[in-house]
Amino acid sequence: MLSAPLLRLSLDILIEIGSYLDSEDLLHLIQTCRQFHLVFENKTVWLRLCKRIEGLAVGIPEQVDYKRLYLRWKKKGYVYTWGEKSWNRLGRLVSHTHFPHHKPIALTGSYAVKAVQIAVGGYGIFLLNEDGKLHITGKRTNSFSQVVSELGFVYSIHAGRDYCLAMSDEGNLWQVGANSTLCLTKDNVLSDYRGKFSIFRSGWDCLSVFVPQVGFLLWKSGTESEPTVYKIYIGQDVVNVSDYVLCAGFLVFTIVNESLVFRVDLDGNYEQQAKELKNFRISEGNGPWKLSGSFRTFSCLSGNGNTVYMGNESTKETDAKPIVHEFLQNQSIKRLVHGDYHHLLLKQDGSVWSWGMELSNCGCLGLGTLYNQIGDNVLIDVPGRRVTVLRPQRVSWNATCISIAAGGWQSAMMAISDKVLPDAMEPARMTGLSLTHASVPVLHFLRSRRTD
């Protein structure tokens, strides 16, 4: 039998093979024979699948049924978007009634993307699906999400204001912008560094990678010009960075195995000692820090999610004190992200909270219409133009969130829901009527008849 050699492979090799298969393949193999059933029901196989989806396996108890968790995500996992709607940035139809821009609405129907990672840029949203395809909404397409076909299989993305960086399985780093797609590691700015870096960040006004024993490489647009190399030292040693964020004019990083925070100002001093922000130190038991940042804001989240230190462009000196908001402490925060002027936090219980500024009721906070609302937590700065929510408010919805993203004036999240509002372009749940080319009045009638 052709299957005999496969059955004679050791358990660890079979489990490794299983990690490259999708859930349908695994379910079919499980039904094939008793031995495959024993192998591919193994929780290690399903845990690896869960880890492909950003945030799905984070903070989950070890005794959880990973197979059930993964299959539930496959069936009921959705991407939700909200915020600034111009250029179809949200990747879905927006109306003022059933499908507003200032509340989370799922991408379903013809717009659905089974995303494993989401990133929000200044002018659109980037969705990486389980097949390694990168979908983009917003300014580049001025339509609903489209696939960036040139990239091949992508396994990691990071978005900034103007560009998204995408790493493909061939070790190539791509720059995806509003007007172009460019491979940076083939006859371009990063050709000499292909395969030498794993951390990359797209920022407000430039893009970057970190190359061990070399330093930070930054470039403005990804054209043929050479990147600027920032070689950073601690004492006599070049830093070994574990994580970093790139903001407007500066970057913040942590080093391997230590819960220390350093800042580098991108002011033309290309060889400099790392500037430690000493008041950002955290005990090893609560570390290491998880960094997040965008534009002028950065934040440090402790490993247990109970301590949050924030900073901005003014947090420069070594003795600078962190911004400590009491409402962020001891909240069991799973993730914290930032747009230009708004912030989202995801708690361990799957709830999402937001605070910060909305401009012209763009809806980036996801709290509904904020016109004429005022109180202890909401400040109307300029009536009809700008509203600021001073403390985190819970985003109302009917799902359990696993991952969040923010950028510019948009927000997005991945979540699991038993019931989601269907897409505006596919409104009917009727089985006895088929409309091939529905007119505008008919569609309006169908939407007005909704009861959900």
Side-chain angles (χ1 to χ4, degrees):
M1 294 176 59
L2 293 176
S3 61
L6 184 60
L7 289 170
R8 288 197 294 267
L9 293 175
S10 64
L11 177 62
D12 57 336
I13 294 178
L14 287 173
I15 290 177
E16 182 67 23
I17 292 173
S19 68
Y20 293 94
L21 305 177
D22 61 23
S23 59
E24 290 188 9
D25 293 332
L26 289 171
L27 292 175
H28 290 153
L29 281 171
I30 287 172
Q31 297 172 4
T32 302
C33 68
R34 181 183 298 273
Q35 185 168 339
F36 280 156
H37 182 276
L38 294 174
V39 171
F40 296 118
E41 283 285 358
N42 190 300
K43 65 180 297 184
T44 302
V45 174
W46 294 96
L47 174 58
R48 288 187 180 186
L49 288 176
C50 287
K51 287 183 175 180
R52 291 179 183 177
I53 297 92
E54 184 177 61
L56 183 61
V58 177
I60 300 297
E62 292 185 2
Q63 63 270 24
V64 74
D65 185 342
Y66 292 110
K67 176 184 174 183
R68 182 177 180 182
L69 176 64
Y70 183 82
L71 294 178
R72 185 165 183 257
W73 170 83
K74 285 278 289 186
K75 184 178 180 180
K76 300 180 178 181
Y78 297 89
V79 173
Y80 294 73
T81 62
W82 64 97
E84 174 55 52
K85 61 183 179 179
S86 63
W87 295 315
N88 289 310
R89 299 186 197 195
L90 302 182
R92 58 179 171 84
L93 187 70
V94 174
S95 70
H96 296 294
T97 53
H98 298 293
F99 308 97
H101 65 284
H102 47 64
K103 292 182 179 181
I105 302 293
L107 302 185
T108 61
S110 58
Y111 308 142
V113 177
K114 184 60 68 172
V116 299
Q117 188 180 349
I118 53 175
V120 179
Y123 304 103
I125 296 174
F126 301 87
L127 309 168
L128 179 59
N129 77 3
E130 57 185 337
D131 295 325
K133 291 181 171 56
L134 180 63
H135 297 246
I136 182 174
T137 72
K139 188 174 181 179
R140 176 181 171 120
T141 63
N142 198 22
S143 64
F144 306 114
S145 63
Q146 294 183 2
V147 176
V148 185
S149 58
E150 305 96 308
L151 277 58
F153 188 94
V154 173
Y155 64 85
S156 183
I157 60 175
H158 189 275
R161 182 190 183 209
D162 292 307
Y163 298 98
C164 177
L165 293 177
M167 182 69 79
S168 71
D169 61 351
E170 297 176 344
N172 286 318
L173 186 66
W174 294 79
Q175 172 187 286
V176 181
N179 301 311
S180 65
T181 299
L182 183 66
C183 183
L184 301 169
T185 48
K186 283 185 178 179
D187 301 322
N188 215 301
V189 296
L190 298 179
S191 297
D192 295 337
Y193 302 99
R194 179 181 175 184
K196 297 180 181 179
F197 61 86
S198 59
I199 310 176
F200 53 91
R201 298 288 182 265
S202 181
W204 173 259
D205 53 1
C206 62
L207 302 97
S208 67
V209 300
F210 174 76
V211 181
Q213 303 306 312
V214 175
F216 294 100
L217 277 60
L218 289 89
W219 63 99
K220 286 291 184 181
S221 63
T223 59
E224 298 302 322
S225 60
E226 289 296 317
T228 300
V229 180
Y230 282 82
K231 189 177 288 290
I232 312 299
Y233 295 89
I234 296 179
Q236 299 297 318
D237 301 322
V238 180
V239 298
N240 188 10
V241 170
S242 59
D243 190 17
Y244 76 96
V245 292
L246 179 61
C247 298
F250 68 97
L251 58 83
V252 175
F253 68 88
T254 57
I255 59 176
V256 175
N257 298 327
E258 292 193 48
S259 297
L260 309 178
V261 179
F262 299 83
R263 170 172 171 149
V264 176
D265 290 302
L266 308 175
D267 54 7
N269 183 9
Y270 304 134
E271 290 198 15
Q272 56 182 292
Q273 288 289 323
K275 182 182 294 184
E276 184 194 350
L277 301 176
K278 295 181 179 179
N279 288 319
F280 281 71
R281 291 184 179 183
I282 191 173
S283 64
E284 292 186 5
N286 292 328
W289 285 121
K290 292 182 284 187
L291 300 181
S292 182
S294 176
F295 191 29
R296 297 172 179 168
T297 301
F298 69 92
S299 62
C300 307
L301 175 65
S302 65
N304 59 14
N306 289 325
T307 303
V308 178
Y309 289 170
M310 296 181 66
N312 52 39
E313 73 275 18
S314 300
T315 313
K316 293 183 176 182
E317 305 305 321
T318 58
D319 60 350
K321 293 183 178 180
I323 301 171
V324 180
H325 296 295
E326 290 301 322
F327 53 71
L328 296 179
Q329 315 309 312
N330 300 310
Q331 294 297 313
S332 298
I333 298 174
K334 183 177 178 180
R335 190 168 186 186
L336 180 62
V337 297
H338 312 283
D340 284 1
Y341 295 98
H342 73 287
H343 320 276
L344 302 178
L345 67 88
L346 168 62
K347 292 188 177 182
Q348 293 289 350
D349 63 4
S351 63
V352 176
W353 302 65
S354 68
W355 83 102
M357 182 192 298
E358 279 192 5
L359 193 62
S360 300
N361 194 39
C362 69
C364 60
L365 296 177
L367 301 175
T369 303
L370 295 177
Y371 284 145
N372 303 320
Q373 293 190 31
I374 191 167
D376 294 337
N377 297 325
V378 179
L379 172 66
I380 299 179
D381 296 325
V382 181
R385 285 287 299 164
R386 188 172 67 208
V387 177
T388 300
V389 175
L390 303 176
R391 297 172 62 90
Q393 305 295 305
R394 184 165 184 168
V395 178
S396 178
W397 56 321
N398 61 344
T400 300
C401 182
I402 61 174
S403 182
I404 55 175
W409 299 95
Q410 296 86 238
S411 304
M413 62 186 172
M414 292 161 49
I416 297 174
S417 175
D418 291 322
K419 179 182 179 182
V420 295
L421 193 64
D423 195 280
M425 291 296 288
E426 299 176 15
R429 294 182 178 176
M430 306 165 64
T431 58
L433 173 65
S434 175
L435 297 174
T436 305
H437 299 289
S439 64
V440 172
V442 169
L443 287 176
H444 179 74
F445 169 76
L446 288 174
R447 290 168 191 162
S448 67
R449 299 291 293 173
R450 278 215 177 111
T451 60
D452 56 349

